[in-house]
């Protein structure tokens, strides 16, 4: 499983969002994330792919994550 991070822009505003990407390889995940950003660019908000990385437990906060931070 992979996580894609996107930079969104609307006028002078900028923020980041993350999406889970289901893919068998890093290359496929990047391809899917780029396509997603391209398709999302049909509105006023501009989507840019910032990064794709492998994530074993994306967007989850549990005891394991808390222990890693302590």
């Amino acid at each position: 499983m992979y996580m894609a991070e996107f930079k969104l822009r609307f006028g002078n505003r900028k923020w980041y969002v993350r999406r889970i990407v289901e893919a068998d390889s890093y290359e496929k995940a990047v391809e899917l994330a780029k396509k997603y950003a391209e398709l999302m660019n049909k509105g006023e908000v501009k989507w840019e792919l910032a990064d794709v990385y492998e994530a074993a437990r994306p967007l989850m906060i549990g005891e394991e994550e808390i222990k890693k931070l302590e």
Side-chain angles (χ1 to χ4, degrees):
M1 188 175 307
Y2 296 87
M3 179 72 67
E5 184 171 270
F6 299 92
K7 186 185 316 178
L8 280 64
R9 296 179 189 267
F10 179 73
N12 62 353
R13 292 182 166 162
K14 177 175 61 173
W15 64 99
Y16 292 87
V17 297
R18 293 181 176 145
R19 296 288 189 262
I20 296 169
V21 181
E22 292 181 295
D24 296 333
S25 68
Y26 175 79
E27 292 78 16
K28 182 67 174 174
V30 170
E31 179 184 325
L32 289 172
K34 285 181 180 178
K35 183 69 174 177
Y36 183 80
E38 180 184 314
L39 293 170
M40 291 300 288
N41 274 330
K42 293 180 181 176
E44 294 182 43
V45 176
K46 180 166 173 41
W47 287 65
E48 298 173 18
L49 179 61
D51 197 10
V52 174
Y53 48 92
E54 192 167 1
R57 293 173 47 124
L59 298 179
M60 294 182 73
I61 299 173
E63 292 296 325
E64 184 180 325
E65 287 72 27
I66 297 300
K67 286 178 184 176
K68 286 180 184 177
L69 295 172
E70 292 181 326

